Amino acid sequence: LEMHCDFQQWEQALALAQTLAPHQLPDIFLKSALKLENQNEHQSALTHFEQAMRDCELDRVEHLAQCRAGIARTSIRLGDFQRGMQVAIELKDPSVCKD
């Protein structure tokens, strides 16, 4: 699992984490989402940002903020301006609004 993460082989890492380390899924989904977003695969990135928030402890504020920022950016790039702007405004993070 660690080797796949080190080599940014996110699909393989996600498959292994499902059974071996489900507690790592939120982090792996987030890293995968960021990579997909950088590759302009916005629909897949949006799905992974949403999955990164699922089963994540509410005290992981930074993780959740990164997920919400990604959801805002990808939603806007996919044409869902209402959702993207709503999430960006809720974050109250000027850098997200600027993106």
Side-chain angles (χ1 to χ4, degrees), residues 1 14 24 29 33 35 43 61 70 72 93 95-96:
L1 177 60
L14 288 167
Q24 290 186 17
F29 271 119
K35 181 178 180 184
Q43 186 61 57
V61 177
D93 183 346
S95 65
V96 174

Side-chain angles (χ1 to χ4, degrees), residues 39-58:
Q39 295 172 336
N40 292 320
E41 296 181 35
H42 300 297
Q43 186 61 57
S44 296
L46 176 60
T47 301
H48 282 220
F49 281 124
E50 292 168 339
Q51 290 174 317
M53 290 183 66
R54 200 175 303 148
D55 300 327
C56 181
E57 293 99 27
L58 295 177

Side-chain angles (χ1 to χ4, degrees), residues 26-99:
D27 292 323
I28 297 170
F29 271 119
L30 176 58
K31 292 173 184 175
S32 173
L34 292 168
K35 181 178 180 184
L36 289 166
E37 184 182 17
N38 285 333
Q39 295 172 336
N40 292 320
E41 296 181 35
H42 300 297
Q43 186 61 57
S44 296
L46 176 60
T47 301
H48 282 220
F49 281 124
E50 292 168 339
Q51 290 174 317
M53 290 183 66
R54 200 175 303 148
D55 300 327
C56 181
E57 293 99 27
L58 295 177
D59 64 340
R60 298 194 57 203
V61 177
E62 182 62 30
H63 176 91
L64 293 170
Q66 284 184 296
C67 293
R68 288 189 187 107
I71 289 170
R73 289 189 306 270
T74 54
S75 293
I76 290 170
R77 290 187 179 116
L78 290 168
D80 190 350
F81 299 108
Q82 183 175 357
R83 180 182 185 197
M85 291 304 295
Q86 180 181 350
V87 173
I89 291 167
E90 288 171 2
L91 277 171
K92 299 177 183 170
D93 183 346
S95 65
V96 174
C97 292
K98 189 176 181 179
D99 284 344

Side-chain angles (χ1 to χ4, degrees), residues 1-17:
L1 177 60
E2 288 179 31
M3 180 189 72
H4 288 299
C5 290
D6 289 343
F7 287 111
Q8 297 185 4
Q9 298 170 336
W10 302 120
E11 293 304 317
Q12 294 90 334
L14 288 167
L16 284 173

